Amino acid sequence: MSKRLVKRQRHPGWHLALSGLLLAGATIFLLYRPAAKERTSDLPVIAPADAPVPHQAANADQLADALYAGIDSALADLGIWPALYSKRRQEYFDRIEVGVPADLPLAEANLGISRFVQRLGGQVLSASERRSQVEIRGGFGEMQTTIFILSPIAERRRTGNIAIVIDDFADDPIAAHFCAIPQSLTFSILPRASQAPALAERVRTNGHEVLVHLPMEPQGGASLSANTILVGLDDEEIRRRVRRALRNVPHARGVNNHMGSKATANERVMRLVLSELKDRNLLFLDSRTTASSVAYQLAVDMDIRAINRDLFIDEIADAQTIQEKLWELAAIAAQSGQAIGVGHNRRETLIALLAALPQLEKRGFRFVPVSQLLP
C-alpha cells in the first residue's frame, strides 16, 4: 500500500536557486561525441561535478525540490545521460522515468538512486520490480514526494578499457599505497639491481603487472645511469645492457622506454633492443617521448606486440589537474575502446588515482594491465 499523499506547497524561489546550483555543476565538463558503430552521438562522458553536497531536507517540500534538481547529477554519476530520462513535476508527487543502459544492472541503478534519496534526508518508502521494471517511491516521513521508474534499454554506456602505467616506480614510502590500489595497474620499474627484484615481486603479489622501465638516451644533456642504452654503443653492448635490465626485473611482461627521445628515433638501436624482446616474447610500450620515434612501427614490422601510450596524465604535478587528465583519458577510451595513460610515482598522482578510478569504474570503464590491450 502506498504511503499517504499530501498536497505539497511549492517554494519556487528556493527551488530555482537549488536547481541552478546543482545543475550547473553537472554540465561544466565537455561532452564528448565521437562516432562509433552504434548510436553514440548523445552519450557524453562527463566528469562528476565538484558541486557542494546539498543540506538535508527539513520537510517534504524541500526534499521534493532537492530530488528533482539533484537527480541529474546522481544519474550522471551512474553514466546515465540526459536523453535517457525525463522529469515531471506533479501536484502530489514528482515522476522521474529513467532508461537504464544494458551494461548497468538494474539493482545497481536502484541502489544508486536509493542512496541519493537517503543522502538528501529522505526515505525509500517502497521499491518493487515488475516486468523487468523497478519502481522506487521516495518521501519524507510517511509523505511520498517522488516516484522513480527504472526501465532497461538496449543501449549501452560509452565505456572502454583503460591501462594506467606508473613509470619510475621505486621502493619509496608511497610504493605500498600504489600497490594497494584495487584496480589493475601496470608498474614500470627501473632496472636497479639493488631494489628492482623485490619491488617487482611486491607488484606481482598485489595483482598488478610489471614492465621494465628501460633507460634510453634522450636528446640533450640529461643525467644518465650507468646502464642507459646509448646511441654510440656497439651492437653487442646494447644487447648486453638490455639483457641485464630484463634479468633485474623479474615477472616483467615487457618494456617501455625511460626518456629515450634520441635512442627511440634511431632504427639501429631500436632494432637491437626489440630483437631481444622478440626472443623472449615480450611487449614494447612506446612512451612517445619524441614524435620522431621509430620504435612502434619497427616493432610492428618485426612482428612484436607493441603499442603507443595515449596520454601523459601527470605532466603537471597537481592532483586536480591529474584527475581531469584521467577523465580525458576516459574520453579517448570511450571513442576508441581502449586507452593507455602514463603517470609517475608521485604523491599527487596517487591522490588523483584514488579519487578518480572508483568514479570511472561506476561509469563502466574497466582498468586492465597494458598487456591486455595488445592483440
Side-chain angles (χ1 to χ4, degrees), residues 189 191 196-197 210-214 239-256 273-283:
I189 299 174
V210 177
L211 294 180
V212 177
H213 201 33
L214 185 65
R239 287 182 178 276
R240 185 161 40 245
R241 292 189 180 192
V242 173
R243 290 194 291 265
R244 183 184 301 125
L246 296 175
R247 285 196 303 271
N248 284 346
V249 186
H251 314 301
R253 296 296 301 275
V255 166
N256 76 325
V273 171
L274 292 170
S275 65
E276 292 294 325
L277 304 188
K278 184 172 183 176
D279 289 346
R280 296 161 178 79
N281 194 29
L282 298 175
L283 66 87

PDB file of all heavy atoms in Angstrom, residues 189 191 196-197 210-214 239-256 273-283:
ATOM      1  N   ILE A 189      59.293  -0.500 -13.762  1.00  0.00           N
ATOM      2  CA  ILE A 189      60.329  -0.440 -12.728  1.00  0.00           C
ATOM      3  C   ILE A 189      61.700  -0.226 -13.365  1.00  0.00           C
ATOM      4  O   ILE A 189      62.092  -0.955 -14.287  1.00  0.00           O
ATOM      5  CB  ILE A 189      60.317  -1.745 -11.913  1.00  0.00           C
ATOM      6  CG1 ILE A 189      58.954  -1.915 -11.228  1.00  0.00           C
ATOM      7  CG2 ILE A 189      61.447  -1.757 -10.891  1.00  0.00           C
ATOM      8  CD1 ILE A 189      58.786  -3.247 -10.524  1.00  0.00           C
ATOM      9  N   PRO A 191      65.494  -0.722 -13.803  1.00  0.00           N
ATOM     10  CA  PRO A 191      66.203  -1.992 -13.541  1.00  0.00           C
ATOM     11  C   PRO A 191      67.433  -1.839 -12.649  1.00  0.00           C
ATOM     12  O   PRO A 191      68.545  -2.205 -13.023  1.00  0.00           O
ATOM     13  CB  PRO A 191      66.581  -2.455 -14.945  1.00  0.00           C
ATOM     14  CG  PRO A 191      66.745  -1.191 -15.716  1.00  0.00           C
ATOM     15  CD  PRO A 191      65.719  -0.238 -15.175  1.00  0.00           C
ATOM     16  N   ALA A 196      65.074  -3.541  -7.548  1.00  0.00           N
ATOM     17  CA  ALA A 196      64.087  -3.926  -8.555  1.00  0.00           C
ATOM     18  C   ALA A 196      63.477  -5.308  -8.324  1.00  0.00           C
ATOM     19  O   ALA A 196      62.251  -5.464  -8.453  1.00  0.00           O
ATOM     20  CB  ALA A 196      64.705  -3.836  -9.950  1.00  0.00           C
ATOM     21  N   PRO A 197      64.254  -6.350  -8.005  1.00  0.00           N
ATOM     22  CA  PRO A 197      63.632  -7.680  -7.853  1.00  0.00           C
ATOM     23  C   PRO A 197      62.557  -7.720  -6.774  1.00  0.00           C
ATOM     24  O   PRO A 197      61.464  -8.259  -6.983  1.00  0.00           O
ATOM     25  CB  PRO A 197      64.821  -8.582  -7.517  1.00  0.00           C
ATOM     26  CG  PRO A 197      66.017  -7.881  -8.099  1.00  0.00           C
ATOM     27  CD  PRO A 197      65.729  -6.420  -7.895  1.00  0.00           C
ATOM     28  N   VAL A 210      53.939  -5.916 -14.340  1.00  0.00           N
ATOM     29  CA  VAL A 210      55.285  -5.352 -14.276  1.00  0.00           C
ATOM     30  C   VAL A 210      55.823  -5.110 -15.683  1.00  0.00           C
ATOM     31  O   VAL A 210      55.689  -5.957 -16.570  1.00  0.00           O
ATOM     32  CB  VAL A 210      56.243  -6.311 -13.527  1.00  0.00           C
ATOM     33  CG1 VAL A 210      57.669  -5.760 -13.525  1.00  0.00           C
ATOM     34  CG2 VAL A 210      55.760  -6.559 -12.103  1.00  0.00           C
ATOM     35  N   LEU A 211      56.442  -3.943 -15.869  1.00  0.00           N
ATOM     36  CA  LEU A 211      57.243  -3.654 -17.057  1.00  0.00           C
ATOM     37  C   LEU A 211      58.646  -3.256 -16.609  1.00  0.00           C
ATOM     38  O   LEU A 211      58.848  -2.811 -15.471  1.00  0.00           O
ATOM     39  CB  LEU A 211      56.657  -2.507 -17.880  1.00  0.00           C
ATOM     40  CG  LEU A 211      55.304  -2.697 -18.565  1.00  0.00           C
ATOM     41  CD1 LEU A 211      54.925  -1.428 -19.330  1.00  0.00           C
ATOM     42  CD2 LEU A 211      55.306  -3.905 -19.490  1.00  0.00           C
ATOM     43  N   VAL A 212      59.602  -3.372 -17.514  1.00  0.00           N
ATOM     44  CA  VAL A 212      60.938  -2.825 -17.299  1.00  0.00           C
ATOM     45  C   VAL A 212      60.957  -1.413 -17.865  1.00  0.00           C
ATOM     46  O   VAL A 212      60.627  -1.200 -19.035  1.00  0.00           O
ATOM     47  CB  VAL A 212      62.023  -3.673 -17.991  1.00  0.00           C
ATOM     48  CG1 VAL A 212      63.397  -3.033 -17.806  1.00  0.00           C
ATOM     49  CG2 VAL A 212      62.018  -5.097 -17.456  1.00  0.00           C
ATOM     50  N   HIS A 213      61.342  -0.455 -17.032  1.00  0.00           N
ATOM     51  CA  HIS A 213      61.451   0.935 -17.480  1.00  0.00           C
ATOM     52  C   HIS A 213      62.890   1.144 -17.955  1.00  0.00           C
ATOM     53  O   HIS A 213      63.765   1.552 -17.183  1.00  0.00           O
ATOM     54  CB  HIS A 213      61.088   1.867 -16.325  1.00  0.00           C
ATOM     55  CG  HIS A 213      60.689   3.240 -16.761  1.00  0.00           C
ATOM     56  ND1 HIS A 213      60.033   3.501 -17.947  1.00  0.00           N
ATOM     57  CD2 HIS A 213      60.851   4.451 -16.147  1.00  0.00           C
ATOM     58  CE1 HIS A 213      59.791   4.785 -18.036  1.00  0.00           C
ATOM     59  NE2 HIS A 213      60.295   5.395 -16.973  1.00  0.00           N
ATOM     60  N   LEU A 214      63.132   0.850 -19.213  1.00  0.00           N
ATOM     61  CA  LEU A 214      64.491   0.757 -19.742  1.00  0.00           C
ATOM     62  C   LEU A 214      65.082   2.151 -19.993  1.00  0.00           C
ATOM     63  O   LEU A 214      64.571   2.891 -20.829  1.00  0.00           O
ATOM     64  CB  LEU A 214      64.476  -0.053 -21.043  1.00  0.00           C
ATOM     65  CG  LEU A 214      65.826  -0.346 -21.679  1.00  0.00           C
ATOM     66  CD1 LEU A 214      66.659  -1.262 -20.777  1.00  0.00           C
ATOM     67  CD2 LEU A 214      65.634  -0.996 -23.058  1.00  0.00           C
ATOM     68  N   ARG A 239      72.866  -4.998 -26.673  1.00  0.00           N
ATOM     69  CA  ARG A 239      72.175  -6.252 -26.333  1.00  0.00           C
ATOM     70  C   ARG A 239      72.480  -6.663 -24.885  1.00  0.00           C
ATOM     71  O   ARG A 239      71.580  -7.115 -24.160  1.00  0.00           O
ATOM     72  CB  ARG A 239      72.620  -7.357 -27.297  1.00  0.00           C
ATOM     73  CG  ARG A 239      72.060  -7.222 -28.704  1.00  0.00           C
ATOM     74  CD  ARG A 239      72.523  -8.385 -29.558  1.00  0.00           C
ATOM     75  NE  ARG A 239      71.974  -8.341 -30.900  1.00  0.00           N
ATOM     76  CZ  ARG A 239      70.773  -8.798 -31.251  1.00  0.00           C
ATOM     77  NH1 ARG A 239      69.985  -9.362 -30.313  1.00  0.00           N
ATOM     78  NH2 ARG A 239      70.349  -8.728 -32.492  1.00  0.00           N
ATOM     79  N   ARG A 240      73.721  -6.510 -24.452  1.00  0.00           N
ATOM     80  CA  ARG A 240      74.107  -6.906 -23.107  1.00  0.00           C
ATOM     81  C   ARG A 240      73.350  -6.067 -22.064  1.00  0.00           C
ATOM     82  O   ARG A 240      72.886  -6.597 -21.054  1.00  0.00           O
ATOM     83  CB  ARG A 240      75.627  -6.746 -22.943  1.00  0.00           C
ATOM     84  CG  ARG A 240      76.151  -7.250 -21.610  1.00  0.00           C
ATOM     85  CD  ARG A 240      77.653  -7.512 -21.610  1.00  0.00           C
ATOM     86  NE  ARG A 240      78.397  -6.501 -22.332  1.00  0.00           N
ATOM     87  CZ  ARG A 240      79.084  -6.741 -23.465  1.00  0.00           C
ATOM     88  NH1 ARG A 240      79.101  -7.961 -23.997  1.00  0.00           N
ATOM     89  NH2 ARG A 240      79.757  -5.776 -24.056  1.00  0.00           N
ATOM     90  N   ARG A 241      73.216  -4.783 -22.312  1.00  0.00           N
ATOM     91  CA  ARG A 241      72.520  -3.910 -21.363  1.00  0.00           C
ATOM     92  C   ARG A 241      71.018  -4.215 -21.306  1.00  0.00           C
ATOM     93  O   ARG A 241      70.410  -4.157 -20.234  1.00  0.00           O
ATOM     94  CB  ARG A 241      72.750  -2.438 -21.718  1.00  0.00           C
ATOM     95  CG  ARG A 241      74.188  -2.009 -21.507  1.00  0.00           C
ATOM     96  CD  ARG A 241      74.394  -0.512 -21.636  1.00  0.00           C
ATOM     97  NE  ARG A 241      75.800  -0.185 -21.409  1.00  0.00           N
ATOM     98  CZ  ARG A 241      76.259   1.054 -21.221  1.00  0.00           C
ATOM     99  NH1 ARG A 241      75.422   2.087 -21.238  1.00  0.00           N
ATOM    100  NH2 ARG A 241      77.549   1.265 -21.029  1.00  0.00           N
ATOM    101  N   VAL A 242      70.441  -4.555 -22.438  1.00  0.00           N
ATOM    102  CA  VAL A 242      69.024  -4.934 -22.435  1.00  0.00           C
ATOM    103  C   VAL A 242      68.832  -6.225 -21.648  1.00  0.00           C
ATOM    104  O   VAL A 242      67.930  -6.338 -20.813  1.00  0.00           O
ATOM    105  CB  VAL A 242      68.488  -5.088 -23.880  1.00  0.00           C
ATOM    106  CG1 VAL A 242      67.060  -5.643 -23.855  1.00  0.00           C
ATOM    107  CG2 VAL A 242      68.516  -3.761 -24.602  1.00  0.00           C
ATOM    108  N   ARG A 243      69.694  -7.214 -21.879  1.00  0.00           N
ATOM    109  CA  ARG A 243      69.568  -8.491 -21.172  1.00  0.00           C
ATOM    110  C   ARG A 243      69.746  -8.308 -19.661  1.00  0.00           C
ATOM    111  O   ARG A 243      69.035  -8.925 -18.862  1.00  0.00           O
ATOM    112  CB  ARG A 243      70.592  -9.494 -21.723  1.00  0.00           C
ATOM    113  CG  ARG A 243      70.296  -9.971 -23.140  1.00  0.00           C
ATOM    114  CD  ARG A 243      71.135 -11.193 -23.500  1.00  0.00           C
ATOM    115  NE  ARG A 243      72.543 -10.873 -23.626  1.00  0.00           N
ATOM    116  CZ  ARG A 243      73.171 -10.588 -24.766  1.00  0.00           C
ATOM    117  NH1 ARG A 243      72.468 -10.548 -25.910  1.00  0.00           N
ATOM    118  NH2 ARG A 243      74.460 -10.332 -24.791  1.00  0.00           N
ATOM    119  N   ARG A 244      70.691  -7.443 -19.266  1.00  0.00           N
ATOM    120  CA  ARG A 244      70.917  -7.195 -17.840  1.00  0.00           C
ATOM    121  C   ARG A 244      69.669  -6.549 -17.217  1.00  0.00           C
ATOM    122  O   ARG A 244      69.244  -6.922 -16.120  1.00  0.00           O
ATOM    123  CB  ARG A 244      72.123  -6.288 -17.650  1.00  0.00           C
ATOM    124  CG  ARG A 244      72.472  -6.030 -16.173  1.00  0.00           C
ATOM    125  CD  ARG A 244      73.612  -5.046 -16.037  1.00  0.00           C
ATOM    126  NE  ARG A 244      74.809  -5.525 -16.712  1.00  0.00           N
ATOM    127  CZ  ARG A 244      75.468  -4.831 -17.640  1.00  0.00           C
ATOM    128  NH1 ARG A 244      75.044  -3.639 -18.015  1.00  0.00           N
ATOM    129  NH2 ARG A 244      76.559  -5.330 -18.195  1.00  0.00           N
ATOM    130  N   ALA A 245      69.076  -5.616 -17.910  1.00  0.00           N
ATOM    131  CA  ALA A 245      67.872  -4.952 -17.396  1.00  0.00           C
ATOM    132  C   ALA A 245      66.733  -5.950 -17.224  1.00  0.00           C
ATOM    133  O   ALA A 245      66.011  -5.927 -16.217  1.00  0.00           O
ATOM    134  CB  ALA A 245      67.459  -3.819 -18.337  1.00  0.00           C
ATOM    135  N   LEU A 246      66.564  -6.828 -18.175  1.00  0.00           N
ATOM    136  CA  LEU A 246      65.491  -7.814 -18.094  1.00  0.00           C
ATOM    137  C   LEU A 246      65.715  -8.788 -16.942  1.00  0.00           C
ATOM    138  O   LEU A 246      64.751  -9.197 -16.273  1.00  0.00           O
ATOM    139  CB  LEU A 246      65.375  -8.576 -19.416  1.00  0.00           C
ATOM    140  CG  LEU A 246      64.963  -7.752 -20.642  1.00  0.00           C
ATOM    141  CD1 LEU A 246      65.002  -8.609 -21.904  1.00  0.00           C
ATOM    142  CD2 LEU A 246      63.584  -7.151 -20.446  1.00  0.00           C
ATOM    143  N   ARG A 247      66.965  -9.152 -16.677  1.00  0.00           N
ATOM    144  CA  ARG A 247      67.254 -10.051 -15.557  1.00  0.00           C
ATOM    145  C   ARG A 247      66.944  -9.383 -14.220  1.00  0.00           C
ATOM    146  O   ARG A 247      66.528 -10.035 -13.261  1.00  0.00           O
ATOM    147  CB  ARG A 247      68.720 -10.484 -15.584  1.00  0.00           C
ATOM    148  CG  ARG A 247      69.068 -11.506 -16.624  1.00  0.00           C
ATOM    149  CD  ARG A 247      70.420 -12.149 -16.333  1.00  0.00           C
ATOM    150  NE  ARG A 247      71.498 -11.169 -16.248  1.00  0.00           N
ATOM    151  CZ  ARG A 247      72.230 -10.763 -17.295  1.00  0.00           C
ATOM    152  NH1 ARG A 247      71.984 -11.269 -18.509  1.00  0.00           N
ATOM    153  NH2 ARG A 247      73.195  -9.877 -17.130  1.00  0.00           N
ATOM    154  N   ASN A 248      67.153  -8.079 -14.139  1.00  0.00           N
ATOM    155  CA  ASN A 248      66.991  -7.369 -12.869  1.00  0.00           C
ATOM    156  C   ASN A 248      65.530  -7.121 -12.487  1.00  0.00           C
ATOM    157  O   ASN A 248      65.257  -6.756 -11.334  1.00  0.00           O
ATOM    158  CB  ASN A 248      67.724  -6.023 -12.918  1.00  0.00           C
ATOM    159  CG  ASN A 248      69.225  -6.170 -12.786  1.00  0.00           C
ATOM    160  OD1 ASN A 248      69.724  -7.234 -12.395  1.00  0.00           O
ATOM    161  ND2 ASN A 248      69.963  -5.124 -13.130  1.00  0.00           N
ATOM    162  N   VAL A 249      64.620  -7.289 -13.421  1.00  0.00           N
ATOM    163  CA  VAL A 249      63.196  -7.038 -13.138  1.00  0.00           C
ATOM    164  C   VAL A 249      62.411  -8.314 -13.453  1.00  0.00           C
ATOM    165  O   VAL A 249      61.898  -8.493 -14.566  1.00  0.00           O
ATOM    166  CB  VAL A 249      62.650  -5.846 -13.943  1.00  0.00           C
ATOM    167  CG1 VAL A 249      61.213  -5.538 -13.516  1.00  0.00           C
ATOM    168  CG2 VAL A 249      63.527  -4.611 -13.760  1.00  0.00           C
ATOM    169  N   PRO A 250      62.294  -9.220 -12.505  1.00  0.00           N
ATOM    170  CA  PRO A 250      61.542 -10.459 -12.755  1.00  0.00           C
ATOM    171  C   PRO A 250      60.064 -10.179 -12.955  1.00  0.00           C
ATOM    172  O   PRO A 250      59.542  -9.146 -12.530  1.00  0.00           O
ATOM    173  CB  PRO A 250      61.795 -11.275 -11.484  1.00  0.00           C
ATOM    174  CG  PRO A 250      62.138 -10.266 -10.440  1.00  0.00           C
ATOM    175  CD  PRO A 250      62.846  -9.148 -11.143  1.00  0.00           C
ATOM    176  N   HIS A 251      59.401 -11.115 -13.614  1.00  0.00           N
ATOM    177  CA  HIS A 251      57.954 -11.081 -13.855  1.00  0.00           C
ATOM    178  C   HIS A 251      57.530 -10.020 -14.876  1.00  0.00           C
ATOM    179  O   HIS A 251      56.325  -9.798 -15.065  1.00  0.00           O
ATOM    180  CB  HIS A 251      57.154 -10.864 -12.558  1.00  0.00           C
ATOM    181  CG  HIS A 251      57.578 -11.713 -11.414  1.00  0.00           C
ATOM    182  ND1 HIS A 251      57.557 -13.095 -11.484  1.00  0.00           N
ATOM    183  CD2 HIS A 251      58.043 -11.391 -10.175  1.00  0.00           C
ATOM    184  CE1 HIS A 251      57.982 -13.577 -10.331  1.00  0.00           C
ATOM    185  NE2 HIS A 251      58.285 -12.579  -9.527  1.00  0.00           N
ATOM    186  N   ALA A 252      58.489  -9.362 -15.530  1.00  0.00           N
ATOM    187  CA  ALA A 252      58.123  -8.304 -16.474  1.00  0.00           C
ATOM    188  C   ALA A 252      57.460  -8.896 -17.708  1.00  0.00           C
ATOM    189  O   ALA A 252      57.920  -9.890 -18.272  1.00  0.00           O
ATOM    190  CB  ALA A 252      59.354  -7.508 -16.876  1.00  0.00           C
ATOM    191  N   ARG A 253      56.353  -8.255 -18.137  1.00  0.00           N
ATOM    192  CA  ARG A 253      55.657  -8.668 -19.362  1.00  0.00           C
ATOM    193  C   ARG A 253      56.175  -7.925 -20.577  1.00  0.00           C
ATOM    194  O   ARG A 253      55.800  -8.228 -21.702  1.00  0.00           O
ATOM    195  CB  ARG A 253      54.158  -8.397 -19.216  1.00  0.00           C
ATOM    196  CG  ARG A 253      53.478  -9.204 -18.112  1.00  0.00           C
ATOM    197  CD  ARG A 253      53.521 -10.689 -18.406  1.00  0.00           C
ATOM    198  NE  ARG A 253      52.876 -11.004 -19.663  1.00  0.00           N
ATOM    199  CZ  ARG A 253      51.556 -11.197 -19.800  1.00  0.00           C
ATOM    200  NH1 ARG A 253      50.763 -11.106 -18.734  1.00  0.00           N
ATOM    201  NH2 ARG A 253      51.032 -11.491 -20.963  1.00  0.00           N
ATOM    202  N   GLY A 254      57.043  -6.933 -20.346  1.00  0.00           N
ATOM    203  CA  GLY A 254      57.570  -6.171 -21.467  1.00  0.00           C
ATOM    204  C   GLY A 254      58.377  -4.992 -20.994  1.00  0.00           C
ATOM    205  O   GLY A 254      58.804  -4.928 -19.837  1.00  0.00           O
ATOM    206  N   VAL A 255      58.574  -4.050 -21.901  1.00  0.00           N
ATOM    207  CA  VAL A 255      59.470  -2.917 -21.679  1.00  0.00           C
ATOM    208  C   VAL A 255      58.798  -1.651 -22.181  1.00  0.00           C
ATOM    209  O   VAL A 255      58.062  -1.664 -23.173  1.00  0.00           O
ATOM    210  CB  VAL A 255      60.800  -3.146 -22.444  1.00  0.00           C
ATOM    211  CG1 VAL A 255      61.622  -1.866 -22.532  1.00  0.00           C
ATOM    212  CG2 VAL A 255      61.606  -4.270 -21.796  1.00  0.00           C
ATOM    213  N   ASN A 256      59.038  -0.542 -21.461  1.00  0.00           N
ATOM    214  CA  ASN A 256      58.801   0.769 -22.059  1.00  0.00           C
ATOM    215  C   ASN A 256      60.016   1.635 -21.806  1.00  0.00           C
ATOM    216  O   ASN A 256      60.858   1.336 -20.964  1.00  0.00           O
ATOM    217  CB  ASN A 256      57.502   1.418 -21.544  1.00  0.00           C
ATOM    218  CG  ASN A 256      57.627   1.972 -20.148  1.00  0.00           C
ATOM    219  OD1 ASN A 256      58.336   1.413 -19.302  1.00  0.00           O
ATOM    220  ND2 ASN A 256      56.925   3.052 -19.873  1.00  0.00           N
ATOM    221  N   VAL A 273      67.315  -3.526 -29.578  1.00  0.00           N
ATOM    222  CA  VAL A 273      66.509  -3.654 -28.355  1.00  0.00           C
ATOM    223  C   VAL A 273      65.319  -4.563 -28.597  1.00  0.00           C
ATOM    224  O   VAL A 273      65.032  -5.487 -27.818  1.00  0.00           O
ATOM    225  CB  VAL A 273      66.033  -2.258 -27.885  1.00  0.00           C
ATOM    226  CG1 VAL A 273      65.021  -2.401 -26.748  1.00  0.00           C
ATOM    227  CG2 VAL A 273      67.224  -1.400 -27.452  1.00  0.00           C
ATOM    228  N   LEU A 274      64.615  -4.326 -29.676  1.00  0.00           N
ATOM    229  CA  LEU A 274      63.392  -5.085 -29.957  1.00  0.00           C
ATOM    230  C   LEU A 274      63.681  -6.544 -30.257  1.00  0.00           C
ATOM    231  O   LEU A 274      62.866  -7.424 -29.939  1.00  0.00           O
ATOM    232  CB  LEU A 274      62.643  -4.435 -31.119  1.00  0.00           C
ATOM    233  CG  LEU A 274      62.043  -3.048 -30.816  1.00  0.00           C
ATOM    234  CD1 LEU A 274      61.533  -2.397 -32.093  1.00  0.00           C
ATOM    235  CD2 LEU A 274      60.913  -3.164 -29.800  1.00  0.00           C
ATOM    236  N   SER A 275      64.827  -6.823 -30.856  1.00  0.00           N
ATOM    237  CA  SER A 275      65.148  -8.233 -31.147  1.00  0.00           C
ATOM    238  C   SER A 275      65.323  -9.020 -29.851  1.00  0.00           C
ATOM    239  O   SER A 275      64.972 -10.200 -29.778  1.00  0.00           O
ATOM    240  CB  SER A 275      66.394  -8.329 -32.023  1.00  0.00           C
ATOM    241  OG  SER A 275      67.537  -7.844 -31.332  1.00  0.00           O
ATOM    242  N   GLU A 276      65.857  -8.376 -28.799  1.00  0.00           N
ATOM    243  CA  GLU A 276      65.966  -9.044 -27.507  1.00  0.00           C
ATOM    244  C   GLU A 276      64.587  -9.319 -26.908  1.00  0.00           C
ATOM    245  O   GLU A 276      64.360 -10.351 -26.270  1.00  0.00           O
ATOM    246  CB  GLU A 276      66.802  -8.194 -26.538  1.00  0.00           C
ATOM    247  CG  GLU A 276      68.275  -8.089 -26.897  1.00  0.00           C
ATOM    248  CD  GLU A 276      68.994  -9.425 -26.791  1.00  0.00           C
ATOM    249  OE1 GLU A 276      68.636 -10.217 -25.898  1.00  0.00           O
ATOM    250  OE2 GLU A 276      69.925  -9.676 -27.591  1.00  0.00           O
ATOM    251  N   LEU A 277      63.651  -8.395 -27.115  1.00  0.00           N
ATOM    252  CA  LEU A 277      62.289  -8.603 -26.621  1.00  0.00           C
ATOM    253  C   LEU A 277      61.593  -9.715 -27.396  1.00  0.00           C
ATOM    254  O   LEU A 277      60.873 -10.532 -26.812  1.00  0.00           O
ATOM    255  CB  LEU A 277      61.478  -7.301 -26.730  1.00  0.00           C
ATOM    256  CG  LEU A 277      62.045  -6.064 -26.027  1.00  0.00           C
ATOM    257  CD1 LEU A 277      61.023  -4.928 -26.068  1.00  0.00           C
ATOM    258  CD2 LEU A 277      62.456  -6.375 -24.598  1.00  0.00           C
ATOM    259  N   LYS A 278      61.818  -9.735 -28.701  1.00  0.00           N
ATOM    260  CA  LYS A 278      61.161 -10.765 -29.522  1.00  0.00           C
ATOM    261  C   LYS A 278      61.608 -12.166 -29.116  1.00  0.00           C
ATOM    262  O   LYS A 278      60.792 -13.099 -29.067  1.00  0.00           O
ATOM    263  CB  LYS A 278      61.455 -10.523 -31.000  1.00  0.00           C
ATOM    264  CG  LYS A 278      60.725 -11.486 -31.912  1.00  0.00           C
ATOM    265  CD  LYS A 278      60.866 -11.111 -33.371  1.00  0.00           C
ATOM    266  CE  LYS A 278      60.051 -12.061 -34.248  1.00  0.00           C
ATOM    267  NZ  LYS A 278      60.095 -11.670 -35.678  1.00  0.00           N
ATOM    268  N   ASP A 279      62.881 -12.311 -28.790  1.00  0.00           N
ATOM    269  CA  ASP A 279      63.390 -13.622 -28.384  1.00  0.00           C
ATOM    270  C   ASP A 279      62.696 -14.134 -27.130  1.00  0.00           C
ATOM    271  O   ASP A 279      62.648 -15.343 -26.885  1.00  0.00           O
ATOM    272  CB  ASP A 279      64.900 -13.541 -28.119  1.00  0.00           C
ATOM    273  CG  ASP A 279      65.702 -13.372 -29.400  1.00  0.00           C
ATOM    274  OD1 ASP A 279      65.129 -13.589 -30.491  1.00  0.00           O
ATOM    275  OD2 ASP A 279      66.887 -12.996 -29.306  1.00  0.00           O
ATOM    276  N   ARG A 280      62.135 -13.217 -26.323  1.00  0.00           N
ATOM    277  CA  ARG A 280      61.503 -13.581 -25.050  1.00  0.00           C
ATOM    278  C   ARG A 280      59.989 -13.382 -25.075  1.00  0.00           C
ATOM    279  O   ARG A 280      59.332 -13.481 -24.040  1.00  0.00           O
ATOM    280  CB  ARG A 280      62.126 -12.752 -23.912  1.00  0.00           C
ATOM    281  CG  ARG A 280      63.598 -13.052 -23.709  1.00  0.00           C
ATOM    282  CD  ARG A 280      64.305 -11.948 -22.929  1.00  0.00           C
ATOM    283  NE  ARG A 280      65.717 -12.270 -22.705  1.00  0.00           N
ATOM    284  CZ  ARG A 280      66.662 -12.120 -23.618  1.00  0.00           C
ATOM    285  NH1 ARG A 280      66.366 -11.651 -24.831  1.00  0.00           N
ATOM    286  NH2 ARG A 280      67.911 -12.435 -23.336  1.00  0.00           N
ATOM    287  N   ASN A 281      59.466 -13.069 -26.231  1.00  0.00           N
ATOM    288  CA  ASN A 281      58.022 -12.837 -26.402  1.00  0.00           C
ATOM    289  C   ASN A 281      57.512 -11.750 -25.455  1.00  0.00           C
ATOM    290  O   ASN A 281      56.463 -11.898 -24.817  1.00  0.00           O
ATOM    291  CB  ASN A 281      57.232 -14.134 -26.182  1.00  0.00           C
ATOM    292  CG  ASN A 281      55.793 -14.025 -26.680  1.00  0.00           C
ATOM    293  OD1 ASN A 281      55.495 -13.276 -27.618  1.00  0.00           O
ATOM    294  ND2 ASN A 281      54.882 -14.743 -26.047  1.00  0.00           N
ATOM    295  N   LEU A 282      58.255 -10.658 -25.360  1.00  0.00           N
ATOM    296  CA  LEU A 282      57.878  -9.541 -24.521  1.00  0.00           C
ATOM    297  C   LEU A 282      57.309  -8.407 -25.369  1.00  0.00           C
ATOM    298  O   LEU A 282      57.656  -8.247 -26.535  1.00  0.00           O
ATOM    299  CB  LEU A 282      59.090  -9.031 -23.732  1.00  0.00           C
ATOM    300  CG  LEU A 282      59.728 -10.032 -22.766  1.00  0.00           C
ATOM    301  CD1 LEU A 282      60.986  -9.451 -22.145  1.00  0.00           C
ATOM    302  CD2 LEU A 282      58.739 -10.454 -21.689  1.00  0.00           C
ATOM    303  N   LEU A 283      56.460  -7.590 -24.763  1.00  0.00           N
ATOM    304  CA  LEU A 283      55.843  -6.476 -25.476  1.00  0.00           C
ATOM    305  C   LEU A 283      56.705  -5.223 -25.353  1.00  0.00           C
ATOM    306  O   LEU A 283      57.585  -5.125 -24.492  1.00  0.00           O
ATOM    307  CB  LEU A 283      54.441  -6.213 -24.927  1.00  0.00           C
ATOM    308  CG  LEU A 283      54.299  -5.709 -23.491  1.00  0.00           C
ATOM    309  CD1 LEU A 283      54.380  -4.185 -23.398  1.00  0.00           C
ATOM    310  CD2 LEU A 283      52.975  -6.183 -22.890  1.00  0.00           C
TER     311      LEU A 283
END
